Structures are given as structure tokens and as C-alpha cells.
């Protein structure tokens, strides 16, 4: 398996095929990833879009996609992808379309569907060995309906439904771990602030047949409370503090593609976001801050 197609940043496509001027929020980290994924996959791609923030990408009669797009209920995108894939395979088998007309099947979903109500359909698709790419833009909440907490919300973050003095009391699930328990063809974590790592992983995913998952931490200026121009910086801090490990699952093994040997304190990431402001003002919640830091340290101690 080779990742030689993208050895340097200059190897990443410079021609953008995803249209500009969408109704998505300025600085959307999810949109940044979709741009990059689409440019690597190319126009012969069909997106099956679970209801969520990216519903805004196709409001009739306008769309930034050059090709096909199918909209489904929040929990049904993998089932929709099964139908699309089956139809394409039948057309190919019957010779009604040429192999050059085949489309890469991509489920596009937010964390609300991925971590929660869509898990049943996803688990079934993995079990059946459906040949598709599953892209989760994870903005750690139900962003399109006012940033209610989801099962991806991090501990301590304030959301519109986690308004207590210490924010969300629960802990973020690992959709990566849930996926690899099903032994997919490929799985990876990415972030738009690391475009070369992202391009290599999407290119690698395309080399496998079967279920492939790409989950992208997606800084959300609207829901997280920061200036849209800081999206890339917030993403970089997520990697440098160890909050968001960049890794992939290949041939039954988990490999970290970037290990932050000199990690920044997690405070450097948290204090830049309004959703964590209550942990610093009017006084510091030391116990919560220490707990968040210790959980990150324990993760990386196991890796290193």
C-alpha cells in the first residue's frame, strides 16, 4: 500500500472542484475537510448526506457539488448508500454503464448521526462489507439546531443543553474505536489543519474495497465560540495538545501518523474557545482542567 501520490503539499490538487459561496457558516472546519476530500476523490463521486449542518450545501436550485448528491434522514445514510452502491453495481454488471462511469460512494454525516442515532445503520453496513467511504465531520454537537450536546461533546464543554457551572458532565465517545471493533477495510482520523495527512489518508482509503471511515474533528466557530479566522489555528492546537490524535487502522493495526512529542498544555486549546470560558473565568476550575489534562496524558502514555 503506497501513499506516494501525496508526498508534499504541492502534490495536493490546486484546482478546486467544490463550489464556493455555500450557506455554511464562515470558518466551518467540516466544510474545509469536504473541500479537500472532494478534490482528492474527484467529480465521479456520489454523496449520501445524512441530515445535519451539510444539509445547507444543497438548497434548491443551488449546489456546490459537481456531481450527484442524495439527501437522507439523519439515521439512514448508510442504508441509502447501500441502495446507491447496489444500483451502480447492477448497472456495471449488466453493461449499462462503463467502468469509467462508476462513482465513489460517500456517506456524509455529522457527529449527531455518526455517534448516536445512525449507529444501527452504520453497523449493518460494516457487517455487510458495503464498499463505501463514511466521512464524519465531528463538530462535537448538534450544530445545525443550536449546538445541543451530542455523544461526541467533550467533557466540560458548555452547550445549549449543558449549561451547568462545569459544562457537559459526560465524556466523548470514540467513533474510531467503535468502527474498528467491526474490522472495516480502513479507518482514520483527520483534521483540515493537516491537509497533507488528510490527503494521504483519503487516497489510501480509495485503495481498499469495503467499508472505510474518515472522521474529521471540525472546529465550529458558531458552536465553539471563536472567531472564524481562527479555525485552522484551533485545529492545529487540537493536534499539538494531543486532544485529537491523528491515526489510522490498516490490516488490523492502529498506527499514529503524527505523535506530538512535546505536547502543549490542553489549556492552550481550551482557553481559545467560548464553550470552555467558564473553566477559566471568573475563577479557574482546577479539578476539571486537571482531569481533562490527565485523560489526554494517559492516552499518549499508552501510545508512547
Amino acid at each position: 500500500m503506497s501513499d506516494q501520490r501525496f508526498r508534499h503539499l504541492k502534490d495536493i490538487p490546486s484546482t478546486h472542484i467544490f463550489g464556493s459561496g455555500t450557506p455554511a457558516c464562515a470558518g466551518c472546519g467540516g466544510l474545509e475537510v469536504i473541500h479537500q476530500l472532494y478534490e482528492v476523490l474527484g467529480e465521479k463521486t456520489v454523496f449520501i448526506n445524512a441530515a445535519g449542518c451539510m444539509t445547507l450545501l444543497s438548497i434548491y436550485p443551488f449546489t456546490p457539488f459537481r456531481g450527484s448528491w442524495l439527501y437522507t434522514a439523519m439515521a439512514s445514510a448508510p442504508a441509502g448508500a447501500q441502495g446507491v452502491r447496489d444500483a451502480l453495481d447492477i448497472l456495471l454488471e449488466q453493461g449499462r454503464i462503463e467502468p469509467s462511469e462508476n462513482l465513489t460512494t460517500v456517506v456524509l454525516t455529522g457527529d449527531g448521526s455518526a455517534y448516536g442515532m445512525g449507529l444501527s445503520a452504520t453497523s449493518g453496513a460494516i457487517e455487510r462489507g458495503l464498499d463505501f467511504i463514511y466521512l464524519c465531520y465531528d463538530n462535537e454537537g448538534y450544530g445545525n439546531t443550536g449546538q445541543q450536546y451530542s455523544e461526541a461533546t467533550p467533557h466540560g464543554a458548555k452547550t445549549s443543553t449543558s449549561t451547568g457551572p462545569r459544562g457537559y458532565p459526560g465524556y466523548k465517545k470514540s467513533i474510531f474505536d467503535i468502527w474498528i471493533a467491526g474490522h472495516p477495510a480502513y479507518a482514520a482520523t483527520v483534521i483540515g489543519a493537516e491537509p497533507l495527512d488528510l490527503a494521504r489518508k483519503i487516497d489510501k482509503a480509495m485503495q481498499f474495497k469495503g467499508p472505510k471511515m474518515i472522521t474529521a474533528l471540525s472546529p465550529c466557530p458558531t458552536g465553539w465560540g471563536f472567531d472564524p479566522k481562527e479555525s485552522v489555528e484551533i485545529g492545529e492546537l487540537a493536534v499539538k495538545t494531543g486532544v485529537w490524535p491523528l491515526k489510522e487502522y490498516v490490516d488490523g493495526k492502529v498506527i499514529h501518523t503524527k505523535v506530538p512529542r512535546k505536547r502543549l498544555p490542553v489549556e492552550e486549546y481550551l482557553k481559545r474557545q467560548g464553550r470552555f470560558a467558564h473553566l477559566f473565568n471568573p475563577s479557574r476550575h482546577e479539578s476539571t482542567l486537571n482531569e481533562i489534562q490527565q485523560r489526554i496524558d494517559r492516552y499518549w502514555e499508552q501510545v508512547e
Side-chain angles (χ1 to χ4, degrees), residues 92-167:
L92 285 166
E93 185 177 330
Q94 294 179 344
R96 295 168 64 185
I97 62 173
E98 297 296 326
S100 60
E101 298 176 279
N102 192 18
L103 301 174
T104 301
T105 307
V106 179
V107 161
L108 183 59
T109 179
D111 52 283
S113 172
Y115 288 72
M117 64 184 76
L119 265 182
S120 177
T122 304
S123 179
I126 299 170
E127 180 67 23
R128 294 190 300 274
L130 176 63
D131 185 21
F132 76 133
I133 294 176
Y134 184 95
L135 173 63
C136 172
Y137 55 94
D138 178 0
N139 63 357
E140 302 186 324
Y142 287 87
N144 65 321
T145 53
Q147 198 67 14
Q148 297 88 356
Y149 84 84
S150 77
E151 293 168 66
T153 298
H155 184 62
K158 279 207 171 182
T159 73
S160 61
T161 47
S162 314
T163 57
R166 296 194 179 185

Side-chain angles (χ1 to χ4, degrees), residues 13 17 45-46 48 72 100 115 124 129 135 191 194 213 269 271:
I17 62 173
T45 302
V46 52
I48 297 91
T72 74
S100 60
Y115 288 72
L135 173 63
I191 195 164
E194 293 283 349
M213 189 272 286
Y269 172 73
K271 68 186 181 184

Side-chain angles (χ1 to χ4, degrees), residues 35-217:
H35 264 284
Q36 296 177 33
L37 173 133
Y38 201 19
E39 287 158 13
V40 174
L41 294 181
E43 294 184 29
K44 291 183 178 175
T45 302
V46 52
F47 288 91
I48 297 91
N49 190 160
C53 290
M54 298 309 164
T55 299
L56 294 170
L57 294 184
S58 288
I59 297 178
Y60 182 82
F62 304 107
T63 173
F65 293 108
R66 299 288 182 92
S68 301
W69 180 85
L70 175 70
Y71 186 63
T72 74
M74 187 174 281
S76 309
Q82 181 77 61
V84 169
R85 190 61 262 163
D86 287 349
L88 287 166
D89 289 341
I90 290 170
L91 292 172
L92 285 166
E93 185 177 330
Q94 294 179 344
R96 295 168 64 185
I97 62 173
E98 297 296 326
S100 60
E101 298 176 279
N102 192 18
L103 301 174
T104 301
T105 307
V106 179
V107 161
L108 183 59
T109 179
D111 52 283
S113 172
Y115 288 72
M117 64 184 76
L119 265 182
S120 177
T122 304
S123 179
I126 299 170
E127 180 67 23
R128 294 190 300 274
L130 176 63
D131 185 21
F132 76 133
I133 294 176
Y134 184 95
L135 173 63
C136 172
Y137 55 94
D138 178 0
N139 63 357
E140 302 186 324
Y142 287 87
N144 65 321
T145 53
Q147 198 67 14
Q148 297 88 356
Y149 84 84
S150 77
E151 293 168 66
T153 298
H155 184 62
K158 279 207 171 182
T159 73
S160 61
T161 47
S162 314
T163 57
R166 296 194 179 185
Y168 179 59
Y171 296 89
K172 182 183 180 80
K173 281 184 182 176
S174 169
I175 194 66
F176 180 86
D177 289 343
I178 292 171
W179 258 78
I180 67 173
H183 308 292
Y186 181 75
T189 64
V190 302
I191 195 164
E194 293 283 349
L196 189 56
D197 179 80
L198 189 156
R200 286 172 173 169
K201 287 172 176 170
I202 294 169
D203 191 46
K204 186 178 286 187
M206 291 172 66
Q207 300 173 41
F208 292 96
K209 185 176 177 61
K212 287 91 60 177
M213 189 272 286
I214 304 287
T215 183
L217 184 67

Side-chain angles (χ1 to χ4, degrees), residues 223-260:
W224 296 9
F226 62 85
D227 192 305
K229 69 182 180 183
E230 298 176 351
S231 276
V232 172
E233 282 183 64
I234 297 294
E236 290 173 342
L237 284 170
V239 175
K240 290 178 180 177
T241 57
V243 166
W244 187 247
L246 293 174
K247 55 189 175 182
E248 61 185 358
Y249 170 86
V250 189
D251 298 331
K253 296 180 180 177
V254 175
I255 300 166
H256 286 77
T257 54
K258 188 162 190 172
V259 177

Side-chain angles (χ1 to χ4, degrees), residues 1-8 11 200 203-204 207:
M1 201 58 61
S2 170
D3 59 3
Q4 294 303 306
R5 181 182 173 196
F6 298 106
R7 299 184 64 183
H8 309 284
D11 298 328
R200 286 172 173 169
D203 191 46
K204 186 178 286 187
Q207 300 173 41

